[in-house]
Amino acid sequence: MKKTQATILVIDDQEDILFASKMVLKKHFETIHTLNNPKNILDTLSGNQIDVVLLDMNYRIGFEDGREGIYLLKEIKTFSPQTSVILMTAFGKVETAVEGLKAGALDYILKPWDNEKLLAVVKTAVEESRKEKKKASKAPKKESFFIGNSSSIQKAYSLAEKVAKTDANVLILGENGTGKYVLANYIHQNSNRNAQPFVHVDLGSLNDNIFESELFGYAKGAFTDAKNDTPGRFELAQNGTIFLDEIGNVPLHLQAKLLQVIQNKSVTRLGEAKPRQLDVRIITATNIDLKQEVNHKNFREDLYYRINTMEILLPPLREQRQDIIPMAEFLLDRIIEKYNREEIVFDNNALAQMEKHSWNGNIREMENRIERAVILCENNTITVSDLDLDTISKAENNDDLQLSDIEKSTIEKVLQKNNFNISKSAEELGLSRASLYRRMEKYKIDN
């Protein structure tokens, strides 16, 4: 039997699962890699052309809610968008797997699996991966970016295009959900490094105790779980671009370590003494006023000037009223393509309501609401109720309410609707978990 020319990566912390899957898959596919440590995923993706990843959703005893699997899924899809991901989950955990489908997984399979079912799902995933790679190779790079016509957003992208051809460090400022990741990717795609890796690091999600190992890498034996030499995110971005998101959340004692790497253009893995030279373009982003943080001694002034050769400010969506409907149409087209749906349109009331809406969560909120509407709409027409804007808009039309009152009211309603599930609420609001916690503290919202 002729094997399919494809490379499959299986990630699970149980050796028997890895062995069993490899025995089944190696008869049908050319190359099978296995990993028992999810920390090595990006390293493996960087060194191999992986077509399909079979990803377990839980890796630590006592943490069986699948959140780690969702996080790893997003990491994989960010680093290698054309790689198909199949989630592996135990019976009874299907709800989390369905959430994974929304986050970009192609399919899921229950453990223990039926071999025929496993092979069928993987074959479909290989075909999908090839389609995505073919599509990506043909598509012009700039087509996936919506810029808009408002003067503020035009200015931001004009600056981005000018700085893209240089290696200058860029600091992107803006509220949550304004498209800082998209702008960073735009700079990378328009640079001379566009054929090299674009590595995104959410600094706000890194605990202090793994900050150095994740960013700088580590040598075998550097700490208890360090079983292999492992490069950090900076090394994975070699010759390309590293995007350090939420840099304003990095504690002072770690800012010094970050400054040293940026300043010396080299990185030293934990457990090693010899530095490794870096050739990496650095883009950073934050929703925090770093000048104010510098004045308050919460952010190092020398680091601020190192990352801020060029500063680009992204405006909130409410200041781009003329772009709200074109942006919504652009996002709708992308989501229709994602779900392989027929043509869907907004009705007139939905369009009018979107123009009035304050969009506190900016583009991320808009994308979330449109995706929800695409799933719920009937007769291929999106209504106001599909977008779930009506209740919030009533509050917005009250001239006596300040923006902060609206934000507090919105957060409280979303939290109550989700029974104070922070992850679900943050996603619906277009915020990170850390940002949502900060707002709950600001508005004194308790569960």
Side-chain angles (χ1 to χ4, degrees):
M1 182 178 62
K2 188 177 179 181
K3 294 183 181 181
T4 301
Q5 293 291 326
T7 302
I8 317 297
L9 171 63
V10 187
I11 309 166
D12 199 297
D13 57 349
Q14 297 181 48
E15 292 295 338
D16 56 338
I17 294 290
L18 296 178
F19 178 78
S21 60
K22 189 169 185 176
M23 291 299 292
V24 174
L25 296 172
K26 73 177 185 178
K27 297 176 184 177
H28 299 269
F29 302 98
E30 192 65 33
T31 308
I32 312 297
H33 296 288
T34 59
L35 273 182
N36 61 7
N37 186 348
K39 290 182 178 179
N40 298 328
I41 290 177
L42 296 186
D43 187 24
T44 305
L45 289 173
S46 178
N48 303 275
Q49 291 290 327
I50 304 295
D51 297 292
V52 177
V53 172
L54 280 159
L55 176 68
D56 186 37
M57 300 196 70
N58 299 293
Y59 293 88
R60 292 178 294 167
I61 296 173
F63 294 87
E64 298 179 353
D65 58 0
R67 305 314 307 168
E68 192 169 9
I70 297 293
Y71 174 80
L72 294 170
L73 163 66
K74 291 177 179 177
E75 289 275 286
I76 293 167
K77 295 303 289 184
T78 297
F79 189 81
S80 182
Q82 286 83 47
T83 297
S84 296
V85 180
I86 300 166
L87 300 175
M88 297 188 293
T89 187
F91 182 77
K93 304 291 183 181
V94 174
E95 185 179 340
T96 310
V98 171
E99 185 182 344
L101 298 182
K102 186 176 178 181
L106 179 69
D107 206 340
Y108 68 89
I109 190 164
L110 297 175
K111 296 191 294 185
W113 60 72
D114 173 80
N115 287 347
E116 293 302 318
K117 169 68 173 173
L118 175 66
L119 289 171
V121 171
V122 174
K123 284 177 182 176
T124 300
V126 169
E127 292 171 7
E128 188 63 29
S129 176
R130 286 175 178 167
K131 286 181 190 175
E132 289 299 315
K133 287 174 182 175
K134 190 174 181 181
K135 195 188 302 180
S137 67
K138 289 183 177 179
K141 287 186 172 63
K142 292 188 182 180
E143 275 192 355
S144 60
F145 298 99
F146 175 87
I147 296 174
N149 296 305
S150 64
S151 58
S152 52
I153 197 69
Q154 286 277 341
K155 180 182 177 182
Y157 273 87
S158 175
L159 285 172
E161 194 153 1
K162 288 176 182 176
V163 78
K165 301 302 181 187
T166 74
D167 274 339
N169 294 337
V170 180
L171 172 62
I172 303 174
L173 302 173
E175 295 179 7
N176 278 320
T178 49
K180 296 189 287 294
Y181 171 88
V182 173
L183 184 63
N185 194 24
Y186 179 88
I187 293 170
H188 174 71
Q189 294 294 351
N190 284 274
S191 75
N192 297 324
R193 298 174 179 265
N194 58 18
Q196 302 301 324
F198 175 74
V199 176
H200 172 217
V201 186
D202 181 2
L203 296 176
S205 69
L206 290 183
N207 294 329
D208 291 6
N209 58 341
I210 64 168
F211 183 92
E212 291 182 74
S213 61
E214 285 289 319
L215 285 183
F216 311 145
Y218 52 86
K220 182 179 179 180
F223 48 86
T224 305
D225 293 328
K227 297 177 182 177
N228 299 291
D229 291 338
T230 303
R233 304 297 181 85
F234 272 98
E235 283 185 75
L236 292 174
Q238 184 74 319
N239 301 317
T241 301
I242 189 166
F243 175 45
L244 303 174
D245 203 358
E246 295 200 42
I247 195 166
N249 293 333
V250 177
L252 270 171
H253 69 285
L254 295 175
Q255 290 175 28
K257 298 179 184 295
L258 198 54
L259 173 65
Q260 189 175 20
V261 170
I262 296 172
Q263 196 165 262
N264 298 335
K265 296 183 179 179
S266 65
V267 66
T268 304
R269 293 182 183 179
L270 290 177
E272 291 185 349
K274 186 179 178 181
R276 297 166 183 261
Q277 291 304 304
L278 292 173
D279 178 13
V280 176
R281 169 67 169 287
I282 296 169
I283 303 176
T284 55
T286 183
N287 62 346
I288 294 172
D289 185 340
L290 286 187
K291 288 182 181 176
Q292 189 175 2
E293 293 299 296
V294 168
N295 292 335
H296 292 161
K297 307 298 183 186
N298 294 325
F299 198 87
R300 291 180 64 109
E301 187 173 18
D302 47 4
L303 177 58
Y304 173 71
Y305 287 113
R306 277 287 174 185
I307 63 176
N308 190 16
T309 305
M310 174 66 74
E311 181 178 295
I312 302 177
L313 175 64
L314 281 175
L317 193 52
R318 61 184 172 274
E319 293 179 8
Q320 305 172 62
R321 289 290 166 188
Q322 70 198 84
D323 290 330
I324 285 177
I325 299 306
M327 170 66 78
E329 299 283 4
F330 172 79
L331 293 173
L332 178 60
D333 287 343
R334 279 203 334 193
I335 294 165
I336 289 172
E337 185 178 353
K338 174 182 174 180
Y339 286 105
N340 197 24
R341 293 284 299 270
E342 299 175 17
E343 185 177 353
I344 296 174
V345 297
F346 297 106
D347 74 12
N348 291 334
N349 287 336
L351 291 172
Q353 203 67 36
M354 282 194 292
E355 284 189 311
K356 295 177 185 176
H357 189 58
S358 69
W359 299 111
N360 294 325
N362 294 296
I363 300 167
R364 193 179 298 152
E365 179 193 353
M366 178 183 278
E367 185 172 25
N368 181 278
R369 290 185 181 281
I370 293 173
E371 185 165 5
R372 174 186 185 276
V374 166
I375 295 169
L376 294 177
C377 75
E378 298 178 356
N379 302 318
N380 291 335
T381 302
I382 292 175
T383 65
V384 173
S385 62
D386 294 328
L387 291 164
D388 197 26
L389 294 178
D390 45 0
T391 37
I392 297 172
S393 295
K394 288 174 186 174
E396 289 167 1
N397 290 330
N398 185 344
D399 293 335
D400 295 331
L401 281 175
Q402 298 296 317
L403 189 59
S404 58
D405 297 324
I406 296 170
E407 184 174 47
K408 179 182 179 183
S409 173
T410 302
I411 290 171
E412 286 177 328
K413 286 175 182 174
V414 171
L415 284 166
Q416 287 166 5
K417 186 178 83 173
N418 292 312
N419 295 318
F420 279 81
N421 183 307
I422 300 299
S423 297
K424 285 185 180 178
S425 300
E427 183 177 359
E428 186 169 332
L429 290 163
L431 301 171
S432 66
R433 285 171 56 91
S435 297
L436 179 54
Y437 276 124
R438 284 197 294 271
R439 281 167 171 75
M440 289 173 67
E441 185 177 0
K442 173 182 175 182
Y443 295 125
K444 297 180 171 55
I445 300 173
D446 299 316
N447 59 354

